[in-house]
Amino acid sequence: MPAKRVPTSDTTEALTAELEPMTPKDERPPGEVGEDEPQKTQLKKELGLLEGVAIILGIIVGSGIFISPKGVLRETGSVGMSLVVWVMCGLMSMVGALCYAELGTSIPKSGGDYAYISAGFGSLPAFLFLWAANLIFVPTTNAIMALAFAKYVIQPFFPNCELPDDAVRLIAALSICLLTALNCWNVRVTTKLQDFFMVTKIGALLIVILAGVIHLGMGNTENFNNSFQGTSSEPGEIAVSFYSGIFSYAGWNYLNFMTEELKNPFVNLPRAIYISLPLVTLVYVLANVAYLAVLTPVDMLASDAIAVTFADRLMGSASWVMPLLVALSAFGGLSVHIMTSSRLCFVGARQGHFPDSLALINCKCNTPMSSLIFLGVLSLFYLSTTDIYRLIDYASFVESTFILCSIASLLYMRWKYPDMERPIKVNIIVPIAFLLVCGFLVFLPLYVRPYEVGMGLLITGSGIPAYFLFVYWENKPKFIRTLLDLNTFVTQVLFMSVKTE
């Protein structure tokens, strides 16, 4: 890990220059303001190492660990194999984070996978990632987190019956709207709130782990007898089980979306990753051991809120604490996910791959308000279903596909640009191994989840004609250009926004 920033080579500058917005030649670099010049409207470098760690932990430790154990157990078929999947998902996340540390410091631009795919394979694949991200896995993940929050909020009021779908949807929609508004107002306030939400997340997990360890210590180990009995022999189902586990670890690459707002990214980006991932893996495995020590597989599969069922079994009259802590945890995860994912939409629009109206910064709050609201509306659309596990399969397949593309981009640039300056350079075996694992996750579930996979491929493929119509076709008819200009003008007036300087 480097101790100081390493200057980029000509190759790196050429690659990253393609991702820069065009500016007049006489302007100073962004962030350099003369004594008599007004402050420019742009994303600010406000995030240090602590904020970086909080963002990664805030996204990863959200709702996933409190809902995904059921999905993993359902697909693996046994207690022992489910624990193996949780450990493997943690190892995968750490290996992937190592690869993304190289990508993030070699191409230090916001946008994450979008920037890396663009640098490696060009405009069309990068657009397809942007298209799929903003139409599928970003708003879907927002919807999953909001639904998890809503279910834990109302679960105590319906202890022995089905949760009312309309109430779940309404609370989920209100949480998305509230947090979108908060992120539009102030980035700093949002990141500071993560300190509070972090306490609730760690508190909920510590209660689960300590209670489970005490329960095990009293000799209650019967749930681990013949722990691999009933393990699924179907490779496709095992691959699908990884989707639920990976969803719980999702977020290890999201700090890469905010590189332009991170202080000293060459040092703080990899450090934040190295601190966060081992900690999360240890906590997740211990939490699952605790769940399985107290609840039988039948109990877990029958529960819509595993942590609540766990608390009811062990904590008696104090069990009300658990749904409160878990709800706050999911709420905090949703908040930071809305913040980071909006930067992906913003960067893509700034490159001309989305309408200019999404590349605007609010002149008072210095936030990408139009991108935030756009994704908020799409997230509300995915609340049409409350089946969290279908949404997880739906989003995880598409996201795994483009993570595979990003790692392939890393390998391609290793071959195409061997002299490119890389402040962090992992052993070539690491990205090759991760590429093979991603291939396993992408291709094996094709026949196990044909509907979810098919819809993901269909929506992603619909981006090809959209690319040629709205991006590649330069001489568009006058009425289309007029509509786009009108859309930008209305957005500027409505949200008091301007183009970034």
Side-chain angles (χ1 to χ4, degrees), residues 190-272:
T190 304
T191 55
K192 286 297 183 184
L193 278 175
Q194 291 308 311
D195 296 338
F196 169 73
F197 290 130
M198 192 59 57
V199 172
T200 65
K201 296 172 190 199
I202 299 302
L205 287 171
L206 283 178
I207 290 173
V208 169
I209 292 170
L210 290 176
V213 168
I214 293 172
H215 191 73
L216 278 174
M218 295 171 64
N220 299 298
T221 59
E222 60 274 7
N223 289 349
F224 295 100
N225 295 333
N226 300 317
S227 57
F228 285 91
Q229 184 177 355
T231 298
S232 174
S233 59
E234 181 61 62
E237 291 180 354
I238 297 298
V240 171
S241 74
F242 274 83
Y243 282 172
S244 289
I246 287 172
F247 174 77
S248 291
Y249 285 97
W252 51 264
N253 59 334
Y254 271 55
L255 189 59
N256 293 55
F257 290 171
M258 302 184 69
T259 306
E260 291 179 31
E261 296 169 80
L262 190 65
K263 299 173 184 175
N264 197 5
F266 291 88
V267 173
N268 288 332
L269 176 61
R271 281 183 180 175

Side-chain angles (χ1 to χ4, degrees), residues 39-50:
Q39 181 70 33
K40 292 184 177 181
T41 303
Q42 60 188 25
L43 299 177
K44 297 181 179 180
K45 288 186 177 292
E46 297 182 321
L47 308 178
L49 176 60
L50 181 61

Side-chain angles (χ1 to χ4, degrees), residues 446-459:
L446 290 174
Y447 65 95
V448 179
R449 292 288 188 272
Y451 176 79
E452 289 83 354
V453 170
M455 287 300 297
L457 291 174
L458 180 63
I459 295 176

Side-chain angles (χ1 to χ4, degrees), residues 20-268:
E20 297 275 4
M22 296 301 293
T23 56
K25 293 182 179 180
D26 59 348
E27 284 190 5
R28 290 183 176 88
E32 294 185 11
V33 181
E35 294 181 358
D36 299 326
E37 295 179 16
Q39 181 70 33
K40 292 184 177 181
T41 303
Q42 60 188 25
L43 299 177
K44 297 181 179 180
K45 288 186 177 292
E46 297 182 321
L47 308 178
L49 176 60
L50 181 61
E51 288 83 4
V53 172
I55 286 173
I56 294 177
L57 292 178
I59 296 175
I60 296 179
V61 186
S63 58
I65 187 58
F66 304 110
I67 58 176
S68 293
K70 175 179 176 178
V72 174
L73 182 62
R74 183 177 63 186
E75 299 299 334
T76 57
S78 71
V79 169
M81 192 61 193
S82 69
L83 290 176
V84 170
V85 168
W86 279 102
V87 173
M88 292 298 296
C89 287
L91 292 174
M92 280 181 55
S93 298
M94 284 189 278
V95 171
L98 289 172
C99 298
Y100 273 66
E102 176 176 327
L103 285 167
T105 53
S106 301
I107 307 172
K109 299 300 299 179
S110 290
D113 299 77
Y114 171 74
Y116 314 144
I117 294 172
S118 178
F121 301 125
S123 183
L124 176 57
F127 176 83
L128 290 179
F129 168 78
L130 187 72
W131 182 264
N134 287 284
L135 293 185
I136 303 178
F137 60 81
V138 166
T140 301
T141 302
N142 288 343
I144 292 167
M145 290 181 173
L147 288 171
F149 166 72
K151 287 187 175 185
Y152 272 97
V153 164
I154 66 174
Q155 177 73 29
F157 301 100
F158 300 90
N160 299 311
C161 56
E162 289 287 329
L163 302 180
D165 275 358
D166 290 342
V168 171
R169 286 194 185 97
L170 179 60
I171 294 174
L174 289 174
S175 66
I176 290 173
C177 293
L178 174 62
L179 290 174
T180 298
L182 181 62
N183 276 278
C184 286
W185 175 49
N186 194 297
V187 172
R188 193 68 178 173
V189 170
T190 304
T191 55
K192 286 297 183 184
L193 278 175
Q194 291 308 311
D195 296 338
F196 169 73
F197 290 130
M198 192 59 57
V199 172
T200 65
K201 296 172 190 199
I202 299 302
L205 287 171
L206 283 178
I207 290 173
V208 169
I209 292 170
L210 290 176
V213 168
I214 293 172
H215 191 73
L216 278 174
M218 295 171 64
N220 299 298
T221 59
E222 60 274 7
N223 289 349
F224 295 100
N225 295 333
N226 300 317
S227 57
F228 285 91
Q229 184 177 355
T231 298
S232 174
S233 59
E234 181 61 62
E237 291 180 354
I238 297 298
V240 171
S241 74
F242 274 83
Y243 282 172
S244 289
I246 287 172
F247 174 77
S248 291
Y249 285 97
W252 51 264
N253 59 334
Y254 271 55
L255 189 59
N256 293 55
F257 290 171
M258 302 184 69
T259 306
E260 291 179 31
E261 296 169 80
L262 190 65
K263 299 173 184 175
N264 197 5
F266 291 88
V267 173
N268 288 332

Side-chain angles (χ1 to χ4, degrees), residues 469-488:
L469 180 62
F470 295 108
V471 179
Y472 185 80
W473 187 14
E474 295 182 358
N475 298 319
K476 298 179 181 67
K478 184 177 180 181
F479 78 93
I480 293 181
R481 296 198 303 271
T482 301
L483 286 176
L484 291 174
D485 291 341
L486 179 61
N487 178 45
T488 302

Side-chain angles (χ1 to χ4, degrees), residues 137 243-244 246-247 391-401:
F137 60 81
Y243 282 172
S244 289
I246 287 172
F247 174 77
L391 288 174
I392 288 174
D393 292 342
Y394 191 49
S396 296
F397 166 76
V398 178
E399 188 165 15
S400 296
T401 301

